[in-house]
Amino acid sequence: METFIYMVRHGESPKTEGNERTRGLTDKGKSDAYRITELLKGEGIEVFVSSPYQRAILTIQELARRSGQEVLVFEDLKERIFLNEDHRMPDAELFPLLDKSFSDPNFALQGGESNTVCQNRSIAVLKELLKTYRGQKVALGTHGAIMTLMMGYYDKQYDLNFLLHTSKPDVYRMKFNGQELIEVKRLWYTP
C-alpha cells in the first residue's frame, strides 16, 4: 500500500530578529503559498501536518482549509536549532555551520542541536505518520535543513548540495511502500 508524503518547504519569510516560531511570510511568500495551494489541490491530499513555526503552517494552511482539514502541528518537525530556538542566525554565519554539520553530523554549537539529533527527532515523527496514515496522502509543512535531513535518512543524495539548490518554497512528493522510500519527485518549479 503506497503512502505519499508531500514535503512542502515554507515560502519566503522576513529575515528579522525575533522569535523563530512567529515569523510569518513575506508578500512573495504569501503569493507562493497560494501557488502551492493551486499546484496541490488536485493531488487528493487528506492529512496536513506541520512544524510549529508559523511560516511552515501558513504555507499549507489554505490548502488544508480548502480540503476541510486542520493543520496538525508536531513539535519535533521544527527546524534544526543551530544556536537557540529564538535566534535567527544570519546567512553569512549559517552557511559555514551547515558545511561543518553535513561533514560531521554530530557537530553542534552550545545550545544548538546536531544534524543527528535533528534527524532522529524528525524521522521518529515521519515513521509514525507513515504508520498512522498508511495508504494516504500527507502534506508536511517544513523547512530546508530538516527536510533535507529527513529525505537524506532514506537516500544519501539528499545532502548539503541538495539543500543549497532548493528554493523557498519547494515541494517534493515522496512515495513510500510501508516504511520504504520508493520514489521522490520534485513538483515545484520556479518560474
Side-chain angles (χ1 to χ4, degrees), residues 4-175:
F4 292 87
I5 302 289
Y6 293 76
M7 291 286 187
V8 182
R9 184 182 187 190
H10 67 79
E12 185 179 274
S13 183
K15 295 184 177 185
T16 55
E17 291 297 320
N19 193 313
E20 277 293 278
R21 287 179 178 268
T22 58
R23 270 198 300 135
L25 297 172
T26 63
D27 288 343
K28 181 185 180 313
K30 291 173 187 172
S31 173
D32 285 339
Y34 173 79
R35 288 181 53 217
I36 282 175
T37 300
E38 292 302 305
L39 174 73
L40 297 179
K41 69 182 181 186
E43 290 287 318
I45 298 171
E46 303 146 285
V47 179
F48 300 84
V49 301
S50 180
S51 153
Y53 292 11
Q54 281 299 301
R55 58 193 181 273
I57 295 168
L58 291 170
T59 301
I60 64 168
Q61 193 167 45
E62 179 60 18
L63 181 62
R65 189 191 68 73
R66 285 194 193 179
S67 301
Q69 301 295 320
E70 295 290 322
V71 177
L72 307 173
V73 173
F74 288 82
E75 184 66 23
D76 283 342
L77 293 177
K78 66 186 172 193
E79 179 61 301
R80 178 177 165 213
I81 300 167
F82 289 95
L83 190 56
N84 71 52
E85 198 167 336
D86 295 331
H87 177 72
R88 185 190 179 282
M89 189 174 285
D91 290 347
E93 293 175 34
L94 182 62
F95 289 132
L97 292 174
L98 282 171
D99 193 35
K100 187 164 183 155
S101 296
F102 277 88
S103 59
D104 176 5
N106 294 309
F107 166 76
L109 293 173
Q110 179 94 23
E113 64 183 345
S114 68
N115 274 5
T116 299
V117 168
C118 180
Q119 185 180 61
N120 288 343
R121 72 167 157 81
S122 60
I123 286 298
V125 174
L126 185 54
K127 286 181 175 182
E128 190 59 37
L129 292 173
L130 288 169
K131 192 166 76 176
T132 303
Y133 301 109
R134 188 168 180 248
Q136 295 184 50
K137 295 180 176 183
V138 179
L140 195 159
T142 191
H143 309 269
I146 193 167
M147 176 182 80
T148 300
L149 292 171
M150 285 189 282
M151 293 171 73
Y153 175 84
Y154 294 97
D155 187 335
K156 299 296 181 213
Q157 74 171 312
Y158 301 107
D159 58 8
L160 178 59
N161 187 54
F162 166 78
L163 172 59
L164 295 176
H165 287 91
T166 60
S167 60
K168 287 182 190 173
D170 218 334
V171 181
Y172 294 86
R173 183 178 62 207
M174 301 174 73
K175 179 165 82 172

